[in-house]
Amino acid sequence: MIHIPAEEFTARVEKLRALMNERGIDACLIYGDEYRKENLRYIGNYWPLFERGAVVVPITGEPFVIAAPEGEMFCREMSAWQDVRLLPEFNCVTVPDEIEYPQALYTSLTEIREGLQRGGPLRRLGIVGIDAIPVPLARKIEHHFEGVDIVDAGDLLFQLRMSKSANEAACLQEAARIADEGYKQMIRQARPGMTELELASLVYGECTKQGAESIPFCLVTSGERVNTIIGRPSRKVIEDGDMIMAAIAVQVEGYVATLNFPFVTGEMSEEQKAFIDILVEAEDRALSQIRAGGKQSDVVRAVKAYFKEKDVSAYDLYPPMHGCGLAEAESPYPDENSEALFEAGMTVNTDVSLFGHPHGSNRIEESLIVTETGYESMSKLVRHLSATWKAKRILSLD
């Protein structure tokens, strides 16, 4: 079974504590909710459902999880840590009402502070996810921790999450495998007369059957609707010759792999083929720059130089690579001036795209593991589609 074992969560906490020591942080609160789940999942393996959550990591002693009443048993089922406490401020995120849970055994921010102080002086509290905490909750934390220096510690988790372990890579590889199967269904079944929503439903069904924990998104636009960076599937009827821009993100044990490769329903025009030619070659140039020790900015420069050569720079709207992991897009997100280097074990997505071009808008995206000598693609399908396109200018699944 693909999962992150308990000992890996323990190791993550110890790495976090080493960074906390360097910054003089006595305790760290890692916040998360249903949408901003990545840091909370990394430290605690908890992914709240319409409530808030947190893991508190003291500089010494066992971490504990903060949850809310409706998700308590769900939290206990998922959590990497046995100590789960309920906080009324973490109740349902979508309403201003104070909901009564008469059987809930709540703790309080005061009790949390007092417990942390029993382990030693509490002079500095680091908060991860401070940008995602609602203002009223942030004010309550500030009030109950008055006299404690509260600092943004988000960079500590971004630093830890940058390179992936073998277990993390395995989760991403499984997510990519499932995404491949969903995309195959889309290419096989797409036909004029069906709606974008019908096409997307095939992806959801196949990916769920294959074992996806979640499908964070399935983007589908067609025809004139591809003239956008992202787009949800609609009731638009797909017509013969419509370019399809579709992207599938699949989540396994919290880890998200994404793929996108342009295709056309029905007859493909020569202009559409020429457009896809540019994207395929641009991604090849991006891939040629990925290796441990290489500059991340070289990927960006290589793609931008090729787009300039082909006179399509006007349709190049954002950098062609970003990190992937517990979020579909995470650090690194380099531009042309980045000095950061690739490291073996990093996981990144190519995201080579053109939008607003006269003959279509689309991207090629695949998840990769950086190696000492280059990269390993997690999507066998994207590599196969790229190879068959370069050989025959057709999209063949065989």
Side-chain angles (χ1 to χ4, degrees):
M1 176 182 175
I2 296 173
H3 73 294
I4 307 298
E7 57 268 23
E8 191 157 321
F9 287 101
T10 301
R12 291 173 181 180
V13 164
E14 292 310 310
K15 290 178 183 177
L16 175 59
R17 282 177 171 152
L19 297 176
M20 289 164 60
N21 259 319
E22 293 174 6
R23 294 267 289 270
I25 295 173
D26 303 304
C28 211
L29 184 149
I30 297 95
Y31 173 85
D33 54 34
E34 185 167 0
Y35 178 65
R36 294 296 299 276
K37 62 178 173 53
E38 52 271 15
N39 291 319
L40 177 58
R41 191 96 192 245
Y42 184 80
I43 292 295
N45 201 37
Y46 179 40
W47 180 23
L49 187 64
F50 64 75
E51 295 174 325
R52 300 180 176 94
V55 175
V56 177
V57 178
I59 200 69
T60 59
E62 191 81 353
F64 59 89
V65 180
I66 305 174
E70 289 194 55
E72 179 182 2
M73 295 310 296
F74 177 45
C75 177
R76 293 185 184 279
E77 179 183 63
M78 289 191 70
S79 174
W81 309 103
Q82 292 187 346
D83 187 351
V84 175
R85 309 177 190 183
L86 307 183
L87 194 65
E89 289 86 354
F90 276 30
N91 291 351
C92 184
V93 301
T94 58
V95 299
D97 313 61
E98 293 188 10
I99 306 170
E100 292 186 9
Y101 294 96
Q103 297 185 38
L105 299 176
Y106 285 122
T107 187
S108 68
L109 288 167
T110 298
E111 289 175 328
I112 288 171
R113 174 175 179 165
E114 290 173 350
L116 291 171
Q117 288 175 323
R118 284 194 289 271
L122 183 60
R123 293 160 298 217
R124 177 173 288 183
L125 173 69
I127 296 183
V128 176
I130 202 167
D131 59 323
I133 297 177
V135 171
L137 176 57
R139 287 174 177 163
K140 287 184 179 182
I141 293 172
E142 290 170 0
H143 172 72
H144 286 277
F145 285 81
E146 187 177 359
V148 176
D149 183 20
I150 297 177
V151 298
D152 185 351
D155 61 307
L156 303 187
L157 265 292
F158 283 113
Q159 183 177 338
L160 290 177
R161 287 169 45 207
M162 193 81 74
S163 291
K164 306 301 190 292
S165 69
N167 291 314
E168 291 177 288
C171 292
L172 282 165
Q173 287 169 321
E174 177 64 3
R177 182 197 68 78
I178 294 171
D180 280 358
E181 294 305 312
Y183 215 83
K184 287 177 187 176
Q185 279 290 91
M186 188 182 296
I187 292 175
R188 287 190 182 110
Q189 301 296 330
R191 65 185 186 278
M194 72 191 319
T195 67
E196 294 170 350
L197 281 167
E198 287 179 285
L199 188 56
S201 73
L202 300 174
V203 173
Y204 283 99
E206 183 63 27
C207 291
T208 301
K209 184 172 73 173
Q210 291 282 339
E213 175 183 62
S214 175
I215 302 163
F217 60 77
C218 174
L219 310 180
V220 178
T221 56
S222 63
E224 292 184 1
R225 290 194 74 238
V226 301
N227 190 18
T228 179
I229 294 177
I230 59 173
R232 298 184 189 277
S234 73
R235 293 183 176 86
K236 177 192 172 297
V237 175
I238 297 170
E239 299 178 11
D240 185 61
D242 273 358
M243 177 166 282
I244 306 294
M245 180 166 67
I248 304 174
V250 170
Q251 179 174 308
V252 170
E253 293 295 301
Y255 290 83
V256 183
T258 309
L259 78 87
N260 187 161
F261 200 96
F263 65 97
V264 172
T265 301
E267 190 71 25
M268 188 183 302
S269 70
E270 287 303 312
E271 291 81 6
Q272 288 170 329
K273 290 179 180 179
F275 175 79
I276 295 173
D277 284 343
I278 294 174
L279 289 178
V280 169
E281 176 61 25
E283 203 215 10
D284 277 355
R285 297 198 181 195
L287 293 173
S288 72
Q289 301 299 319
I290 298 176
R291 66 186 180 283
K295 276 191 175 182
Q296 296 171 15
S297 58
D298 286 346
V299 171
V300 184
R301 292 173 183 273
V303 172
K304 287 187 174 297
Y306 179 67
F307 284 163
K308 185 177 181 179
E309 176 187 325
K310 303 302 289 186
D311 196 25
V312 294
S313 297
Y315 313 110
D316 174 22
L317 303 186
Y318 62 80
M321 192 194 78
H322 57 75
C324 66
L326 285 164
E328 188 273 336
E330 62 178 39
S331 298
Y333 218 130
D335 60 19
E336 291 174 278
N337 302 311
S338 174
E339 293 297 323
L341 303 180
F342 287 111
E343 297 176 13
M346 278 186 175
T347 52
V348 298
N349 279 7
T350 55
D351 194 348
V352 177
S353 58
L354 293 170
F355 298 105
H357 188 278
H359 302 302
S361 296
N362 228 303
R363 61 168 64 83
I364 298 177
E365 184 167 9
E366 63 181 307
S367 299
L368 312 163
I369 302 172
V370 178
T371 67
E372 292 291 348
T373 57
Y375 65 89
E376 176 188 345
S377 177
M378 291 183 257
S379 174
K380 294 180 180 178
L381 178 61
V382 173
R383 289 293 87 227
H384 174 78
L385 293 175
S386 181
T388 58
W389 180 263
K390 285 182 288 188
K392 303 176 183 177
R393 290 184 97 199
I394 61 171
L395 294 181
S396 171
L397 297 177
D398 300 326

